[in-house]
Amino acid sequence: MNIPEDAKQKTESYLAKLRAQLRGFDNQQVAEIVAELRSHIMDKLAIPGDAVSAAQVDAALAALGSPEELASQYITDNLLARAEVSRSLLPLLDGLFRWASLSVAGFFVLVGSVMGYFLGMVFILVAVLKLFHPQTAGLWLLHDSTGDPELSFRMGFGSSPPGSRDLLGWWIVPLGLLAGCALVTLTTRFALWCTRQYRRSRALPRT
């Protein structure tokens, strides 16, 4: 395969820009990614018996996206891969935030996950605070300004509104802990399942 010098320079310039954007990777990982991409580009340009034109190189590089976009995809993939291994909340949310910046699907997964974690933590927090504020913390039935009933989780700070009623009493402690832990667990499994589907769907050249 005959590759003009200017085409080689374009390829190496692209890879150099990509290398500079790959934050969070060690030198060996960066070298492997760059080598794999170079091989991937060469495979795309493999036309037996024909010389490769600069236009063909431009098309192959354009198909990968800009170096900044491609690096962002690699960084996101790396963060999500770490989250799958650690199954820890902060790495997972970090990866989801990166994914949300790349696609609408990632945004909805992030929103759903944040809501799940928030509700789970509310259940757990109310259950714990019931031990310290037994008269005011819990799941309460209140009435709005029009007299319509509404449910409200109360943390126990301040007095309960007139006409309100604690629905669960001390049952909020076991039920809140159970529901909260279940929500956090299910949300984590949902987020990890979504990240696995996303990573499988990406066509990133990998070693």
Side-chain angles (χ1 to χ4, degrees):
M1 178 172 56
N2 299 318
I3 302 179
E5 191 60 32
D6 62 336
K8 290 182 180 179
Q9 290 177 356
K10 285 185 178 182
T11 301
E12 293 306 317
S13 175
Y14 179 95
L15 294 175
K17 291 178 182 178
L18 175 70
R19 186 186 292 110
Q21 296 290 325
L22 289 174
R23 307 180 187 90
F25 293 85
D26 59 39
N27 292 335
Q28 181 178 352
Q29 289 176 311
V30 172
E32 290 174 352
I33 289 173
V34 170
E36 183 67 17
L37 273 173
R38 184 181 289 109
S39 176
H40 176 78
I41 294 169
M42 293 301 105
D43 289 343
K44 291 291 185 181
L45 298 175
I47 304 175
D50 293 336
V52 176
S53 67
Q56 289 172 312
V57 174
D58 289 338
L61 297 180
L64 292 173
S66 70
E68 294 77 14
E69 292 171 341
L70 186 57
S72 183
Q73 292 178 34
Y74 271 109
I75 293 170
T76 301
D77 184 85
N78 186 50
L79 288 172
L80 294 176
R82 291 181 182 180
E84 285 185 40
V85 174
S86 69
R87 304 178 72 87
S88 299
L89 179 58
L90 290 181
L92 179 56
L93 287 176
D94 191 12
L96 292 179
F97 272 108
R98 291 286 311 191
W99 181 15
S101 70
L102 297 179
S103 71
V104 174
F107 173 78
F108 283 113
V109 172
L110 173 64
V111 170
S113 298
V114 169
M115 289 179 61
Y117 283 127
F118 175 76
L119 289 175
M121 294 308 297
V122 167
F123 275 109
I124 294 172
L125 188 58
V126 170
V128 172
L129 288 174
K130 182 69 174 180
L131 302 174
F132 299 94
H133 304 281
Q135 301 303 319
T136 52
L139 178 62
W140 285 71
L141 177 65
L142 309 177
H143 296 277
D144 60 20
S145 57
T146 63
D148 293 330
E150 61 181 24
L151 296 177
S152 174
F153 283 108
R154 294 183 61 81
M155 302 299 174
F157 304 107
S159 59
S160 57
S164 60
R165 181 162 59 94
D166 186 358
L167 293 178
L168 295 177
W170 286 105
W171 281 104
I172 191 62
V173 176
L175 293 178
L177 291 175
L178 181 63
C181 292
L183 265 173
V184 169
T185 300
L186 290 174
T187 300
T188 300
R189 291 184 177 180
F190 164 76
L192 289 174
W193 180 83
C194 290
T195 60
R196 282 193 292 270
Q197 300 307 308
Y198 166 75
R199 294 186 67 233
R200 288 172 183 170
S201 70
R202 303 307 299 169
L204 291 177
R206 297 185 179 92
T207 53

